[in-house]
Amino acid sequence: MAQLPNFITHPNPDIYLSENYLVFDLETTNKNKGDARVGDNRIIDMYCYSNRTDDEILDIEELKEELFKVDFIVAHGAKFEIKWLIRSGVDVSKLLFYDTLLGEFVLAGNRQWPLDLDSVSKRYGYSGKESLVSKMIKAGVCPSEIPFSVLHEYCIIDVHMTHEVFKKQRIILKEKGLLPVSFIRNISTPVLADIEMEGMYLDRDLVVDIHNESQARYMELSAVLDELTGGINMASPHQVAAFLYGELGFEELKDRRGNFIRGKPSKAFPEGNPKTDEDTIVALKPKTKRQKEFLVLKLEESKLRKKISAYTKRFVEACENSGRILYGNLNQSIAQSHRLTSSNPNLQNIDRELKKVVTARNPNWKIRSADYKQLEFRAAAVMAQDKQAYKDIVDGVDIHGVTALTIYGEVNKDTRQEAKAHTFKPLYGGTSGTKAEQKYYALFKEKYAGISAMHDAWIGEVVRTKQLRTVTGLIFYWPNCDYTSSGYIVNNESVRNYPIQMFATADIAPTGVCLLWHELKARGLESFIINEVHDSVILEEAPNESEEVGNLLEKCLSKDIVWFFRKLINFDINYPLEIEQKSMTNWDFNKP
């Protein structure tokens, strides 16, 4: 029987009120900001506070001994330190962490507070930690070049500041009922650190082929665009604006009041610079043949440019410099809805064509993916206890088919795929569109009356109190939410969507992945997680573990979530959670 940590089998957020903890900080060389995945980086200094001992813990080996004697470990931006612990051989799956950065993010809700230690400490009445050392590090000076005594004092201040913030922070979290959601965020941090350390293995030959093909097509498009535009600088907003709205005659976009949506005034455009960003260009309505020709070419060119700069170029670099391992970052404290984001590169919104370059690094291994089915819809249904939604889920109703039939008048492979963009749009407050689309949105609202009533109740609550407490305790804030004279509700979309998106993709999905990660570690399996994408998880799967991994995915992502949330927040997920799994030779599951 796998021996899971007690904080997983008996989740209790009040553990963060214990006095048996330690606080620590590391100073490292600064290639790629000191990332533990950079082989040339090394630990230069560390400092640890623990009330268990009066002795200073100044060495990573001493720290390893102390880590397993405390109830939890405190750090600011803990994922950084956790990755260094993993690199140092520590089994972090047996350790509970508390991140003061995440604690502040939870307190902020959807308010965009600065989360660096200096800003956070000032918020609690301290002077902050701005110093000559921090200025030197920000300027690019490697900590190894700073006198050790000065650097060590800086490290000590970091730890003491983090400690003081933690002591105040946990009291506020407890008083506001936010310890449970803080617990949910913190148990995912070592999982994400481990995923980042593993990276994703690339098929070198396929990477080179796709990169070269993309480059060749981009050069073709650039030449055609140069001819069409007369060779203007597409990076110049002024030149692009003159071409779009002058020569081509596009109509500028307008806001709800009929005013042009423009940037700041300039000498060339004293009434405001016409918008020329790609989101604006996508939204322009072509009326002439030349306008249509330009939009088709420009949008393909933009997509290819992003594909090359953000992905294929990085893929090639990873094959040349990182042993074919592509490393990305998973971020817990950026999205206002609290869902995960990814960066450097973004491995959550990766183009489907590029997924086929991700393969297993060991012979005969496979890539396995598990995706939640209709997770946000089911999360909304559970929160609203919508009876019709429950019936449709249990009966296996093809909801996308209903959408396709309503909007397009028929159900086939193409219309069903097109319908997916509209099926759950009402969950995000969407109401505008063609007459057929509006008909579907009205049907959704009428059919799922429980979800609609929940949405309306949320709007009423936020208009009245300017805030909303969610299922796991997190509080969202909308200080400007109100009805306008035209009847429009300010923040309408985010009020309706954030609580659902949060519960589905910041609470349920990451916690399911966390439970899976602990099971894999506790059972000593070789298979490991390489990515988490909103409502799905991707693994490299050992050939003799296929059945067990498949069973664990089913167990952790659907069944275990129920008892976990029941124990943690006394909330019953009494609607079915289902996943779909596939196991193939690469991440593009339409390719063998």
Side-chain angles (χ1 to χ4, degrees):
M1 183 85 177
Q3 187 61 49
L4 297 170
N6 190 63
F7 60 82
I8 292 296
T9 57
H10 298 83
N12 178 16
D14 282 349
I15 194 171
Y16 289 136
L17 303 178
S18 163
E19 294 302 323
N20 182 28
Y21 60 85
L22 65 81
V23 189
F24 85 109
D25 182 55
L26 299 174
E27 300 298 336
T28 70
T29 49
N30 65 350
K31 287 186 178 179
N32 196 19
K33 299 182 179 179
D35 197 320
R37 296 171 293 187
V38 177
D40 290 344
N41 276 333
R42 69 184 192 280
I43 296 173
I44 300 171
D45 188 25
M46 65 153 289
Y47 182 74
C48 173
Y49 164 82
S50 171
N51 59 9
R52 289 177 50 84
T53 175
D54 292 330
D55 297 328
E56 283 191 324
I57 300 172
L58 305 173
D59 178 80
I60 192 70
E61 295 304 319
E62 293 179 42
L63 177 65
K64 286 182 186 179
E65 294 181 15
E66 195 68 21
L67 288 172
F68 296 93
K69 298 176 184 178
V70 296
D71 291 333
F72 58 94
I73 298 110
V74 181
H76 191 84
K79 182 151 65 78
F80 177 89
E81 276 77 16
I82 294 171
K83 288 199 287 187
W84 276 102
L85 292 179
I86 293 171
R87 176 168 159 171
S88 301
V90 176
D91 182 0
V92 297
S93 70
K94 292 181 170 61
L95 301 172
L96 177 63
F97 293 87
Y98 178 91
D99 187 344
T100 46
L101 183 151
L102 287 181
E104 200 67 7
F105 184 59
V106 167
L107 286 169
N110 56 325
R111 297 172 292 187
Q112 295 178 302
W113 293 352
L115 298 174
D116 60 282
L117 183 56
D118 186 50
S119 298
V120 172
S121 63
K122 287 177 179 176
R123 204 172 291 126
Y124 286 87
Y126 303 111
S127 60
K129 63 157 194 164
E130 190 67 28
S131 67
L132 177 60
V133 173
S134 63
K135 290 177 181 177
M136 291 172 70
I137 292 173
K138 286 178 182 177
V141 176
C142 183
S144 63
E145 299 173 0
I146 299 172
F148 182 80
S149 60
V150 176
L151 183 68
H152 186 60
E153 181 62 26
Y154 174 79
C155 190
I156 292 173
I157 291 171
D158 256 15
V159 170
H160 287 320
M161 196 64 66
T162 301
H163 187 205
E164 292 304 314
V165 166
F166 163 69
K167 287 190 294 184
K168 286 193 172 183
Q169 205 175 65
R170 66 175 175 175
I171 293 172
I172 299 171
L173 288 168
K174 177 65 176 177
E175 290 174 348
K176 290 182 173 290
L178 294 171
L179 274 181
V181 69
S182 180
F183 183 87
I184 291 170
R185 300 291 179 270
N186 278 295
I187 61 173
S188 284
T189 306
V191 182
L192 302 179
D194 192 50
I195 292 172
E196 288 186 9
M197 290 294 286
E198 295 289 0
M200 304 176 81
Y201 191 68
L202 304 177
D203 182 323
R204 186 200 308 270
D205 293 339
L206 204 49
V207 162
V208 172
D209 287 346
I210 292 175
H211 180 66
N212 289 342
E213 289 170 7
S214 300
Q215 288 274 43
R217 177 58 181 157
Y218 180 74
M219 296 300 292
E220 286 179 25
L221 286 170
S222 297
V224 176
L225 274 172
D226 276 349
E227 185 177 347
L228 181 64
T229 63
I232 67 168
N233 180 3
M234 294 301 293
S236 166
H238 288 173
Q239 290 185 39
V240 174
F243 179 75
L244 284 177
Y245 306 112
E247 186 171 337
L248 287 185
F250 274 109
E251 292 183 10
E252 292 182 58
L253 300 182
K254 296 180 180 180
D255 60 22
R256 292 176 181 270
R257 294 172 181 165
N259 300 316
F260 289 121
I261 302 173
R262 291 176 173 170
K264 295 179 180 179
S266 66
K267 187 175 181 180
F269 298 100
E271 295 182 1
N273 284 298
K275 303 287 281 185
T276 60
D277 59 278
E278 288 180 12
D279 287 341
T280 296
I281 293 175
V282 169
L284 293 175
K285 304 297 182 185
K287 294 180 179 179
T288 69
K289 182 179 178 181
R290 195 165 179 232
Q291 287 176 346
K292 291 175 183 177
E293 182 184 4
F294 170 78
L295 277 187
V296 169
L297 290 169
K298 176 56 184 166
L299 295 178
E300 186 182 353
E301 182 268 344
S302 298
K303 186 177 179 181
L304 261 178
R305 177 162 35 82
K306 287 181 180 179
K307 178 181 176 181
I308 293 167
S309 62
Y311 293 104
T312 66
K313 187 177 179 182
R314 289 175 181 266
F315 290 178
V316 170
E317 291 172 353
C319 289
E320 292 176 347
N321 306 319
S322 304
R324 296 166 63 177
I325 305 293
L326 176 70
Y327 295 108
N329 299 326
L330 294 167
N331 314 305
Q332 292 177 277
S333 57
I334 292 179
Q336 287 181 288
S337 65
H338 280 232
R339 76 188 302 175
L340 289 178
T341 64
S342 178
S343 57
N344 199 31
N346 184 342
L347 296 177
Q348 296 193 320
N349 295 323
I350 186 169
D351 191 290
R352 188 173 125 186
E353 182 207 1
L354 297 177
K355 290 183 178 181
K356 62 188 177 186
V357 306
V358 176
T359 187
R361 64 200 79 189
N362 297 310
N364 301 319
W365 283 46
K366 290 187 175 180
I367 300 293
R368 181 178 285 269
S369 174
D371 299 77
Y372 279 101
K373 294 175 66 176
Q374 308 164 343
L375 182 58
E376 291 193 18
F377 175 65
R378 296 183 188 216
V382 169
M383 288 190 283
Q385 289 294 288
D386 190 296
K387 294 179 181 179
Q388 183 62 51
Y390 179 83
K391 185 177 186 305
D392 286 357
I393 292 167
V394 172
D395 291 346
V397 171
D398 181 6
I399 301 176
H400 297 308
V402 174
T403 313
L405 186 62
T406 306
I407 296 177
Y408 306 110
E410 61 178 326
V411 182
N412 56 49
K413 183 179 178 181
D414 293 334
T415 60
R416 191 178 180 280
Q417 184 63 36
E418 288 289 327
K420 288 183 177 181
H422 303 283
T423 298
F424 300 125
K425 190 174 175 180
L427 293 181
Y428 321 134
T431 58
S432 61
T434 65
K435 288 185 178 180
E437 289 165 1
Q438 290 180 39
K439 179 183 177 183
Y440 168 73
Y441 303 148
L443 175 67
F444 184 99
K445 185 173 182 178
E446 181 181 348
K447 183 177 184 182
Y448 302 116
I451 294 176
S452 299
M454 177 179 70
H455 270 158
D456 292 343
W458 287 350
I459 290 291
E461 175 71 16
V462 175
V463 167
R464 189 173 71 256
T465 67
K466 310 306 179 188
Q467 64 184 50
L468 181 71
R469 183 179 290 275
T470 64
V471 131
T472 49
L474 188 76
I475 303 172
F476 285 123
Y477 300 86
W478 289 279
N480 300 317
C481 184
D482 214 334
Y483 293 95
T484 65
S485 57
S486 64
Y488 174 71
I489 304 168
V490 179
N491 305 123
N492 175 62
E493 290 83 2
S494 58
V495 172
R496 294 176 188 272
N497 175 236
Y498 280 10
I500 296 171
Q501 191 179 108
M502 182 214 69
F503 188 43
T505 58
D507 298 325
I508 293 176
T511 303
V513 173
C514 175
L515 298 178
L516 171 68
W517 181 77
H518 277 286
E519 287 279 8
L520 293 171
K521 297 288 185 183
R523 292 168 185 254
L525 298 182
E526 292 182 283
S527 303
F528 56 93
I529 303 171
I530 59 170
N531 199 6
E532 181 176 346
V533 183
H534 303 315
D535 58 357
S536 65
V537 59
I538 300 92
L539 306 90
E540 287 192 30
E541 175 185 85
N544 61 330
E545 296 175 355
S546 180
E547 183 178 356
E548 187 171 6
V549 169
N551 290 337
L552 279 177
L553 281 161
E554 192 69 43
K555 171 180 179 290
C556 297
L557 271 62
S558 57
K559 298 182 179 72
D560 288 356
I561 281 289
V562 176
W563 66 255
F564 188 87
F565 277 98
R566 192 179 292 142
K567 285 185 177 182
L568 182 68
I569 59 172
N570 195 31
F571 182 83
D572 192 15
I573 302 176
N574 57 350
Y575 284 34
L577 293 177
E578 298 178 82
I579 62 170
E580 295 177 314
Q581 301 188 56
K582 289 183 181 178
S583 183
M584 303 288 274
T585 56
N586 56 58
W587 190 13
D588 179 10
F589 293 104
N590 292 295
K591 301 286 182 183

